[in-house]
């Protein structure tokens, strides 16, 4: 009797453990989905800041039309920052605290800064958020061991966003140089380095995507498009800024070329994020 | 065997959180013990065996789990110690050290990021140093070319300076000749002035002579008129003497004396007429000669006037020559001054070019040193990267 009672008790405990485990998994899944939404919002925030950097560089160089775009970006940024401020994990991060302190000051003073200072401050701010982006993914274990069906998932949190960031940096620099029509030796060295980084990083990303994992038609198209746009951007940088004595390309033209490359990388990233989302929904 | 022994515990920990698992296990243990000690089998050996076995299992399983955790953590540390590790590849399945593992993972991630940033900076420095090397090489090459060009320019300027020295000397000679030409032109002008004055005097004299000849002609005309009158008087006297002879003949002897007088008067009239005729003939010759002299004097006058005009023209020409020579002289003076200045300037340029050559050579050396420094920087950054 006592043995029966004991077995019954142990069974109840085992069932309770299973229920608890189920609840734990469900809670984790919900948390994962919730964080993925925040990750996407954070990505949008980074994209807007990259655009803000590019347009601010053009504004400093005298492009009057850029002012309106900057105001539009700042209007878009406000609700986004407020939304991310409601996420406890994010608000507890030092990187976010640093951003929250830095951005309002930069937002007010960006137009009065020198081109170099504006570029450095924006880049520092964006780098901070890119690391936070990766931290957020790491915290939620969005990695290979958790997502075995997505072998390239680690690329989503570092390589792809950093490729887009290098493209963004080259866009900001190139737009400013094209606005003045002259490229100094230092500009050439900086752009040359960025061109090298974009080529290296994008090659690594595309190679890894091609080598690992199943490819859907959409992904193959996005990869091809991103590869072509990156190649177009790097060759434009080489031709129009490095291997020439006078910069002839128009500021707007280069902005469009760089933005196309950036959009192609971001489309690939969005597609892969969608795959993560679908994977989470399928569990 | 060890893992099999620890498996139920590991499974429990994996299914739930560590805290919940530990609380649950100890609740079961306490609940079982409390329940069993109230039972009739309190002193039964099976109860003692079961409780003892449970405690031993729990302790052993816990130790095994901790040992596994430590092994896993050690493996992770070994992986992290590798130079080419990727923090995303690091995984550690611990039960009790999850928080420590998470902290460690964060630490490695941040350290890797710092290393990545430093690597980026080193790569950027390396790339920049490559560019600096290329630029320095270009500068070195250009400076060498510049030095060669400057050497050639210096040689050319020295040659030019020498040529200019010759030109200065030649211009001095030309200036002397121009001064002489100017003086000669001035002398010629003065002599032409004197000649003009003398020709004026000759003209005046010729005019006076011509006027005198005209007066002489007029006098000759008057003499001729008077001679004609004398000739007429002689004719009338002859006629009167003839009449007187006729009358004396009529008077006979009484008129003989009268006839002699009349003959004498008639011969005197004849002599007078002859003399008058001779005078007229002589005056004709005088008039002819006078006309010839007048014509000659007219020619002389015309020639002297032409001479005056020619002398005037020559004077004007000489004045122009003098003026032009003077201008040439002043221009040669200016050219001489300029050439002298140019000579000084080319000497200065030559001197400065020599200095530039020296500076260019120094620059080439600096550029070479910069290239070496940039190469050194590249090597340092390369070795830093390789050492990582």
């Amino acid at each position: 009797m006592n043995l029966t009672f004991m077995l019954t008790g142990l069974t109840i405990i085992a069932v309770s453990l299973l229920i608890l485990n189920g609840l734990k998994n469900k809670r984790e899944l919900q948390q994962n989905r919730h964080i993925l939404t925040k990750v996407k919002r954070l990505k949008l925030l980074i994209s807007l800041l990259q655009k803000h950097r590019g347009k601010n560089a053009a504004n400093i160089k005298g492009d009057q039309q850029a002012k309106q775009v900057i105001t539009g970006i700042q209007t878009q940024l406000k609700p986004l920052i407020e939304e991310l401020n409601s996420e406890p994990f994010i608000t507890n991060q030092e990187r976010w605290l640093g951003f929250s302190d830095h951005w309002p000051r930069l937002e007010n003073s960006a137009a009065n800064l020198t081109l170099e200072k504006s570029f450095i401050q924006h880049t520092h701010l964006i780098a901070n958020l890119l690391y936070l982006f990766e931290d957020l993914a790491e915290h939620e274990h969005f990695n290979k061991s958790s997502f075995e069906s997505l072998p390239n998932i680690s690329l989503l949190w570092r390589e792809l966003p950093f490729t887009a960031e290098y493209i963004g940096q080259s866009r900001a620099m190139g737009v400013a140089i094209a606005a003045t029509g002259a490229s100094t030796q230092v500009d050439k060295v900086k752009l040359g380095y960025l061109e090298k980084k974009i080529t290296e990083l994008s090659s690594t990303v595309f190679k890894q995507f091609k080598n690992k994992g199943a490819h859907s038609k959409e992904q193959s198209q996005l990869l091809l498009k991103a590869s072509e746009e990156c190649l177009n951007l790097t060759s434009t940088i080489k031709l129009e800024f490095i291997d020439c004595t006078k910069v002839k390309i128009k500021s707007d033209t280069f902005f469009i070329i760089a933005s196309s490359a950036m959009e192609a990388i971001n489309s690939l990233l969005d597609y892969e994020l969608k795959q993560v989302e679908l994977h989470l929904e399928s569990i | 065997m060890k893992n099999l022994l620890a498996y139920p515990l590991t499974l429990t920990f994996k299914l739930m959180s560590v805290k919940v698992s530990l609380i649950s296990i100890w609740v079961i243990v306490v609940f079982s013990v409390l329940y069993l000690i109230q039972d009739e089998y309190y002193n039964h050996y099976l109860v003692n065996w079961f409780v003892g076995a449970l405690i031993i299992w729990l302790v052993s399983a816990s130790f095994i789990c901790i040992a596994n955790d430590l092994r896993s953590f050690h493996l992770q540390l070994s992986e992290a110690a590798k130079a080419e590790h990727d923090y995303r590849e690091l995984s550690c399945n611990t039960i009790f050290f999850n928080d420590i593992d998470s902290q460690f993972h964060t630490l490695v991630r941040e350290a890797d990021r710092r290393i990545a940033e430093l690597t980026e900076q080193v790569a950027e420095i390396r790339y920049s140093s490559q560019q600096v090397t290329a630029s320095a090489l270009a500068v070195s090459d250009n400076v060498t070319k510049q030095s060669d060009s400057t050497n050639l320019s210096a040689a050319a300027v020295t040659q030019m300076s020498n040529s200019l020295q010759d030109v200065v000397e030649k211009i001095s000679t030309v200036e002397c000749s121009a001064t002489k030409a100017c003086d000669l032109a001035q002398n010629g002008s003065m002599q032409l002035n004197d000649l003009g004055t003398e020709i004026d005097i000759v003209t005046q004299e010729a005019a006076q002579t011509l006027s005198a000849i005209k007066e002489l002609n007029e006098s000759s005309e008057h003499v001729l008129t008077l001679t004609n009158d004398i000739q007429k008087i002689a004719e009338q006297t002859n006629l009167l003497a003839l009449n007187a002879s006729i009358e004396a003949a009529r008077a006979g002897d009484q008129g003989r004396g009268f006839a002699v007088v009349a003959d004498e008067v008639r011969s005197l009239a004849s002599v007078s007429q002859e003399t008058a005729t001779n005078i007229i003939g002589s005056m004709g010759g005088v008039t002819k000669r006078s006309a010839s002299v007048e014509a000659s004097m007219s020619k002389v006058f015309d020639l002297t006037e032409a001479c005056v005009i020619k002398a005037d023209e020559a004077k004007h020409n000489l004045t122009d020559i003098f003026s032009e020579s003077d201008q040439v002289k002043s221009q040669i003076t200016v050219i001489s001054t300029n050439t002298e200045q140019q000579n000084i300037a080319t000497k200065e340029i030559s001197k400065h070019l020599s200095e530039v050559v020296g500076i260019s050579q120094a620059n080439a050396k600096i550029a070479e040193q910069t290239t070496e420094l940039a190469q050194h920087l590249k090597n340092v950054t390369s070795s830093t990267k390789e050492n990582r």
Side-chain angles (χ1 to χ4, degrees):
Chain A
M1 179 249 172
N2 284 327
L3 196 62
T4 312
F5 184 76
M6 266 181 71
L7 286 171
T8 312
L10 285 171
T11 310
I12 292 166
I13 289 163
V15 170
S16 305
L17 285 173
L18 286 172
I19 292 166
L20 276 171
N21 180 53
L23 287 170
K24 183 194 163 197
N25 284 344
K26 196 179 174 186
R27 198 172 58 244
E28 276 181 359
L29 196 63
Q30 279 175 344
Q31 175 71 4
N32 278 340
R33 285 172 186 160
H34 174 70
I35 290 295
L36 188 64
T37 317
K38 299 299 169 192
V39 163
K40 286 160 91 176
R41 302 302 283 165
L42 190 59
K43 178 70 198 74
L44 180 63
L45 176 68
I46 292 166
S47 298
L48 286 170
L49 283 170
Q50 284 166 335
K51 202 172 176 185
H52 190 270
R53 174 177 58 193
K55 284 294 169 188
N56 199 59
N59 180 39
I60 289 168
K61 283 290 172 187
D63 185 352
Q64 294 297 317
Q65 290 177 333
K67 272 185 185 174
Q68 285 182 336
V69 184
I70 290 170
T71 315
I73 294 168
Q74 286 172 350
T75 315
Q76 278 179 281
L77 280 168
K78 267 181 192 168
L80 204 57
I81 294 167
E82 277 173 21
E83 187 190 331
L84 289 167
N85 261 329
S86 65
E87 176 56 42
F89 175 79
I90 292 176
T91 48
N92 288 333
Q93 296 297 307
E94 271 188 36
R95 294 190 188 281
W96 181 257
L97 295 173
F99 167 78
S100 302
D101 174 57
H102 192 179
W103 170 242
R105 284 186 285 121
L106 183 60
E107 187 182 19
N108 293 326
S109 64
N112 304 320
L113 292 172
T114 61
L115 181 69
E116 198 178 352
K117 277 186 180 172
S118 165
F119 180 79
I120 291 169
Q121 292 207 24
H122 274 95
T123 305
H124 184 71
L125 200 74
I126 292 163
N128 211 13
L129 290 181
L130 282 169
Y131 286 137
L132 180 64
F133 182 74
E134 193 181 8
D135 288 348
L136 203 57
E138 280 284 319
H139 179 258
E140 288 304 311
H141 303 289
F142 291 155
N143 50 34
K144 270 196 281 187
S145 54
S146 304
F147 292 79
E148 286 175 3
S149 62
L150 298 168
N152 297 316
I153 191 166
S154 61
L155 294 175
L156 307 190
W157 319 122
R158 194 167 69 185
E159 279 81 359
L160 268 176
F162 271 92
T163 307
E165 166 56 8
Y166 284 126
I167 293 170
Q169 285 183 24
S170 70
R171 180 175 68 179
M173 280 193 72
V175 163
I177 293 165
T180 55
S183 172
T184 64
Q185 191 60 29
V186 177
D187 291 335
K188 284 183 181 181
V189 169
K190 283 180 180 173
L191 272 176
Y193 176 70
L194 285 173
E195 182 270 324
K196 191 174 160 240
K197 285 304 297 179
I198 293 165
T199 308
E200 280 177 5
L201 211 53
S202 60
S203 303
T204 310
V205 170
F206 300 143
K207 201 174 168 184
Q208 199 163 328
F209 265 114
K210 279 172 189 168
N211 292 342
K212 288 183 185 175
H215 301 293
S216 67
K217 195 183 172 185
E218 193 181 352
Q219 192 197 35
S220 300
Q221 281 176 346
L222 287 169
L223 270 171
L224 184 68
K225 170 88 175 156
S227 176
E228 282 173 358
E229 292 292 350
C230 283
L231 193 66
N232 184 30
L233 174 69
T234 51
S235 54
T236 305
I237 291 172
K238 265 188 188 174
L239 196 71
E240 298 289 344
F241 295 99
I242 299 168
D243 301 334
C244 67
T245 48
K246 199 180 176 186
V247 179
K248 288 175 185 167
I249 192 166
K250 284 184 179 174
S251 182
D252 289 345
T253 313
F254 184 71
F255 187 85
I256 291 165
I257 292 169
S259 297
S260 299
M262 213 166 165
E263 273 169 29
I265 294 287
N266 281 332
S267 299
L268 186 62
L269 182 57
D270 290 341
Y271 174 81
E272 292 299 325
L273 284 174
K274 185 77 187 165
Q275 298 311 303
V276 176
E277 199 177 353
L278 289 171
H279 179 84
L280 287 174
E281 279 170 9
S282 67
I283 295 169
Chain B
M1 177 65 189
K2 276 193 297 183
N3 289 337
L4 199 66
L5 191 67
Y7 186 73
L9 196 66
T10 311
L11 187 68
T12 313
F13 282 125
K14 280 189 176 174
L15 287 173
M16 296 180 293
S17 70
V18 177
K19 278 180 190 172
V20 174
S21 303
L22 283 172
I23 290 165
S24 306
I25 287 162
W26 286 109
V27 163
I28 295 163
V29 171
V30 171
F31 174 74
S32 303
V33 171
L34 283 175
Y35 179 78
L36 287 170
I37 58 173
Q38 288 172 4
D39 202 74
E40 58 198 67
Y41 298 108
Y42 175 65
N43 286 320
H44 197 276
Y45 75 97
L46 276 174
V47 175
N48 290 334
W49 180 87
F50 179 77
V51 171
L54 187 66
I55 290 166
I56 288 164
W57 172 76
L58 266 175
V59 171
S60 307
S62 298
F63 271 114
I64 290 163
C65 283
I66 289 167
N68 284 341
D69 277 9
L70 286 171
R71 195 178 300 111
S72 177
F73 201 65
H74 180 258
L75 275 172
Q76 189 180 219
L77 279 173
S78 304
E79 281 296 313
K82 285 179 186 171
E84 294 299 325
H85 74 265
D86 184 345
Y87 65 82
R88 292 172 293 186
E89 303 291 330
L90 297 176
S91 62
C92 181
N93 295 317
T94 61
I95 294 167
F96 297 105
F97 306 124
N98 272 338
D99 287 343
I100 296 170
D101 178 52
S102 175
Q103 289 294 319
F104 174 74
H105 210 258
T106 307
L107 188 73
V108 172
R109 191 171 64 224
E110 288 301 323
D112 277 6
R113 281 175 182 169
R114 293 287 87 76
I115 290 166
E117 279 172 7
L118 284 171
T119 311
E120 286 292 307
Q121 283 173 0
V122 168
E124 197 170 351
I125 291 167
R126 192 157 176 258
Y127 181 83
S128 302
S129 66
Q130 281 172 348
Q131 301 303 310
V132 169
T133 308
S135 299
L137 279 171
V139 167
S140 177
D141 193 35
N142 285 344
V143 166
T144 309
K145 281 179 190 167
Q146 189 191 343
S147 180
D148 292 346
S149 300
T150 318
N151 268 327
L152 289 170
S153 301
V157 167
T158 308
Q159 206 176 351
M160 203 167 88
S161 180
N162 292 336
S163 301
L164 265 172
Q165 187 62 44
D166 286 349
V167 170
V168 167
E169 285 167 13
K170 298 275 186 235
I171 282 174
S172 294
T173 314
V174 171
E175 194 186 6
C176 286
S177 300
T179 311
K180 273 182 188 171
C182 198
D183 291 344
L184 286 172
Q186 203 172 8
N187 284 338
S189 180
M190 281 163 71
Q191 282 171 359
L192 266 175
N193 269 337
D194 292 347
L195 183 67
T197 315
E198 282 171 11
I199 287 170
D200 278 345
I201 293 165
V202 169
T203 310
Q204 279 174 11
E205 289 292 326
Q208 281 174 3
T209 307
L210 199 63
S211 166
I213 287 166
K214 277 179 182 172
E215 281 174 12
L216 191 66
N217 280 342
E218 281 170 10
S219 297
S220 295
E221 289 284 331
H222 187 62
V223 168
L224 203 62
T225 312
L226 287 175
T227 309
N228 282 330
D229 288 345
I230 289 166
Q231 211 173 12
K232 281 175 186 172
I233 291 165
E235 279 174 6
Q236 281 175 359
T237 304
N238 191 36
L239 198 61
L240 280 173
L242 188 63
N243 285 331
S245 292
I246 294 167
E247 287 298 326
R250 269 182 196 168
D253 288 336
Q254 284 178 340
R256 199 166 289 201
F258 193 69
V260 170
V261 173
D263 283 340
E264 284 297 325
V265 169
R266 207 172 56 176
S267 81
L268 278 172
S270 173
V271 169
S272 293
Q273 198 172 15
E274 197 177 332
T275 305
T277 305
N278 286 339
I279 287 166
I280 287 166
S282 296
M283 281 311 292
V286 168
T287 306
K288 266 186 184 173
R289 294 264 178 202
S290 178
S292 168
V293 168
E294 192 184 350
S296 297
M297 279 314 291
S298 286
K299 278 182 184 172
V300 167
F301 186 74
D302 289 344
L303 284 171
T304 49
E305 278 196 335
C307 276
V308 167
I309 292 163
K310 295 266 183 194
D312 250 4
E313 280 176 4
K315 192 184 159 189
H316 280 302
N317 287 342
L318 268 173
T319 309
D320 288 346
I321 288 168
F322 174 73
S323 170
E324 290 298 323
S325 298
D326 201 40
Q327 276 185 12
V328 168
K329 189 186 155 191
S330 55
Q331 279 172 6
I332 284 173
T333 308
V334 172
I335 291 166
S336 179
T337 312
N338 289 345
T339 317
E340 192 65 41
Q341 284 172 353
Q342 277 181 10
N343 194 23
I344 294 164
T346 47
K347 277 179 184 166
E348 283 286 315
I349 291 167
S350 182
K351 190 184 159 194
H352 290 155
L353 275 172
S354 298
E355 285 173 7
V356 169
V357 169
I359 292 164
S360 297
Q361 282 165 351
N363 278 345
K365 214 166 209 172
I366 291 166
E368 273 174 30
Q369 285 171 355
T370 310
T371 312
E372 283 168 12
L373 273 172
Q375 189 62 42
H376 175 65
L377 186 65
K378 188 184 156 191
N379 293 341
V380 169
T381 51
S382 301
S383 61
T384 312
K385 196 186 177 189
E386 280 156 16
N387 288 339
R388 270 197 69 249

